[in-house]
Amino acid sequence: MISFARFWVVDHPGIMTSLIVLGFAVFLLLKTWNETRAQVNSRGVNGSSDTPKYSSKADVENNDFGATIVHHGFEFNVNRDALSKRRNISQILEEADSVWALWNTGQDAWRRHLLRNPKIKRLILPDPHSDAIQLLASGRGRQHHELMTEITFTTNEAKAGGIPIKWFFGLIGNTMTFVNPESGHGWVQVEVVFAPMESQTCPSFRIDQDGPYRALYDALMDVYNKTWDASTLQ
């Protein structure tokens, strides 16, 4: 654990700082959304308190549970079920010109046989031999060797497809998938991963590059680039 802390605090302070800033930004963003939903819910239709109704400023789909909140330049999915109703990795690759990814294992893309798709221009996975994999596995209630195997399979398949892939010797945690990152009008999908949570319960959000949350998009891209630079080519 000491070596793990040293990795973040001493060896890669830039990434650590970026992640702290990013986490704070995401917290404020989600806090604002929660307050907005509560205010609109309490007003109801036409400002009354009779019937809960979300305003056009923050449209909510599947309002029972598994909700998706959609706003100009921003989308929030409360879990993977909500996300799957909007898009999956197959649909992302079908519509994209290029993709940069930061994943924990890449098992979904591997199982869908997508890792030889030339649209994937960059891929970062955690080093399967790092302490971070043990932490991720224990938090998910899985075995260390299971995640190691998934990362190894994903790596071999990506290399066979000619995809530049790197291993990051640290905990990736939140995953990121950038779509058309060099176009000026791309977007990023982030899955917020908390180790004790099951994968299906993890929330996610999407930020448009040319939307009103450009600063958050840029912060995410900065984290990705620093992680890429700090990772080892396979």
Side-chain angles (χ1 to χ4, degrees):
M1 185 61 70
I2 293 177
S3 61
F4 183 66
R6 174 184 170 79
F7 174 87
W8 285 108
V9 179
V10 178
D11 298 334
H12 294 90
I15 295 178
M16 183 62 178
T17 301
S18 297
L19 289 174
I20 292 173
V21 172
L22 176 60
F24 183 66
V26 172
F27 168 77
L28 290 179
L29 184 60
L30 297 183
K31 180 175 181 292
T32 300
W33 272 110
N34 186 56
E35 291 173 349
T36 300
R37 293 178 64 191
Q39 290 171 3
V40 174
N41 232 10
S42 64
R43 286 199 304 268
V45 180
N46 299 323
S48 71
S49 58
D50 298 331
T51 306
K53 180 71 175 180
Y54 290 94
S55 71
S56 60
K57 292 184 178 180
D59 297 324
V60 177
E61 303 172 6
N62 306 321
N63 197 1
D64 47 359
F65 189 68
T68 295
I69 304 172
V70 183
H71 187 265
H72 177 60
F74 175 78
E75 168 192 306
F76 177 77
N77 298 286
V78 75
N79 55 30
R80 279 195 179 177
D81 181 58
L83 176 62
S84 67
K85 294 175 181 177
R86 300 193 66 80
R87 75 187 65 85
N88 57 42
I89 186 60
S90 298
Q91 294 168 319
I92 288 175
L93 287 172
E94 182 178 348
E95 298 172 4
D97 294 322
S98 65
V99 168
W100 295 1
L102 173 71
W103 296 333
N104 279 312
T105 65
Q107 62 173 323
D108 188 32
W110 169 62
R111 289 173 177 169
R112 293 174 184 266
H113 307 288
L114 299 174
L115 289 168
R116 299 197 182 196
N117 192 316
K119 292 183 178 180
I120 302 177
K121 305 299 184 182
R122 291 185 182 183
L123 176 56
I124 306 173
L125 298 176
D127 189 322
H129 307 291
S130 69
D131 294 339
I133 296 301
Q134 182 64 54
L135 291 173
L136 184 63
S138 61
R140 292 289 184 87
R142 302 188 60 193
Q143 297 297 315
H144 187 190
H145 68 85
E146 292 178 329
L147 298 190
M148 291 183 67
T149 298
E150 291 174 1
I151 293 171
T152 301
F153 282 166
T154 299
T155 300
N156 292 339
E157 188 71 6
K159 289 173 66 177
I163 296 173
I165 181 168
K166 288 187 174 186
W167 283 356
F168 179 64
F169 197 78
L171 183 63
I172 285 178
N174 300 336
T175 67
M176 294 191 286
T177 304
F178 285 89
V179 177
N180 303 332
E182 298 175 294
S183 68
H185 53 269
W187 51 272
V188 59
Q189 178 174 290
V190 179
E191 184 171 65
V192 183
V193 178
F194 301 101
M197 296 176 66
E198 292 293 332
S199 299
Q200 294 302 318
T201 63
C202 291
S204 64
F205 62 89
R206 166 180 162 161
I207 299 289
D208 289 350
Q209 185 178 10
D210 56 357
Y213 302 104
R214 176 62 184 267
L216 181 55
Y217 178 93
D218 289 343
L220 289 162
M221 178 58 75
D222 185 57
V223 170
Y224 186 92
N225 286 330
K226 287 180 178 177
T227 305
W228 178 263
D229 292 341
S231 301
T232 304
L233 187 66
Q234 299 304 301

